[in-house]
Amino acid sequence: LAKTTQPISMDSYEGQEVNITCSHNNIATNDYITWYQQFPSQGPRFIIQGYKTKVTNEVASLFIPADRKSSTLSLPRVSLSDTAVYYCLVGTYSGAGSYQLTFGKGTKLSVIP
Amino acid sequence: DTEVTQTPKHLVMGMTNKKSLKCEQHMGHRAMYWYKQKAKKPPELMFVYSYEKLSINESVPSRFSPECPNSSLLNLHLHALQPEDSALYLCASSLGPLGTGSGGGYTFGSGTRLTVV
């Protein structure tokens, strides 16, 4: 069953690019990788999802190497409003109709003026 | 409509009370979820409904009882809770049960902040 590991915290200055890496060594063939952002007392918000190589949308990029054992969320030119907890999620089919949908511990990103 | 709506936003209940949390979505999603989140911790999966059938129950105590009346609604019935059950309860939905596919992940509600006294 896939389990994710992320850095507990990261600091960055405004305007810099931030890369947060998630390890998922036991990712299964059909698993997707999804990243979420969460502000205090709010529900997580979908950022980006990918299966392999690179995915880009209007807010972020997701890089997934060929072995898919890790993924890197890239946030370009962060601002103070990007201060939040970022979660990497790998959905894993556990068999017999059971799915493991487990959040990792998340990375608290603090953006400094 | 691209939202998941949860009511109430805040709830204070005694240990002998019975209350219900409600969740609604009109995005045509066929999987709905309840998560529990304690302060400074990641969300923990409680229940998954897929096509209105309970497909995952993560060993949640029976004082929490989920219900999915139709594909747009999800309830969580609460009875005889303990103070340690105080948490943010999050509802989410997705196109399919793994939150993958063209729908792209889960959509979460803003949660119900539950305090058990």
Side-chain angles (χ1 to χ4, degrees), chain A residues 30-32 34 36 38 41-46 49 87 89 91-93 97-105, chain B residues 33 35 37 41-43 45 48 55-56 58 88 90 97-101 104-111 113:
Chain A
N30 294 329
D31 289 343
Y32 278 73
T34 315
Y36 294 85
Q38 188 176 28
S41 297
Q42 294 186 25
R45 182 177 73 96
F46 172 85
Q49 183 178 76
Y87 291 103
L89 180 63
T92 302
Y93 180 65
S98 175
Y99 299 94
Q100 181 186 1
L101 303 163
T102 305
F103 281 76
K105 294 184 178 179
Chain B
Y33 314 79
Y35 280 85
Q37 187 173 29
K41 298 290 187 183
L45 181 66
V48 178
S55 62
I56 295 179
E58 290 287 358
L88 182 67
L90 294 162
L98 281 181
T100 59
Y106 308 146
T107 301
F108 280 85
S110 55
R113 174 70 61 188

Side-chain angles (χ1 to χ4, degrees), chain B residues 3-66:
Chain B
E3 290 186 348
V4 171
T5 303
Q6 289 188 245
T7 55
K9 293 194 181 306
H10 301 275
L11 178 63
V12 179
M13 61 184 291
M15 289 188 283
T16 59
N17 291 160
K18 287 185 181 181
K19 296 286 185 183
S20 296
L21 308 185
K22 297 185 184 302
C23 174
E24 190 168 1
Q25 59 88 15
H26 297 286
M27 294 177 282
H29 288 177
R30 302 313 302 267
M32 297 185 75
Y33 314 79
W34 281 113
Y35 280 85
K36 173 184 177 180
Q37 187 173 29
K38 303 282 275 184
K40 300 188 186 302
K41 298 290 187 183
E44 297 176 27
L45 181 66
M46 300 175 72
F47 302 104
V48 178
Y49 273 84
S50 180
Y51 293 88
E52 299 160 50
K53 292 190 187 326
L54 184 63
S55 62
I56 295 179
N57 176 340
E58 290 287 358
S59 302
V60 178
S62 60
R63 56 186 184 268
F64 296 92
S65 175

Side-chain angles (χ1 to χ4, degrees), chain B residues 75-100:
Chain B
N75 298 321
L76 186 62
H77 302 298
L78 314 172
H79 174 53
L81 295 193
Q82 303 297 311
E84 59 263 29
D85 295 322
S86 298
L88 182 67
Y89 288 84
L90 294 162
C91 174
S93 69
S94 68
L95 201 62
L98 281 181
T100 59

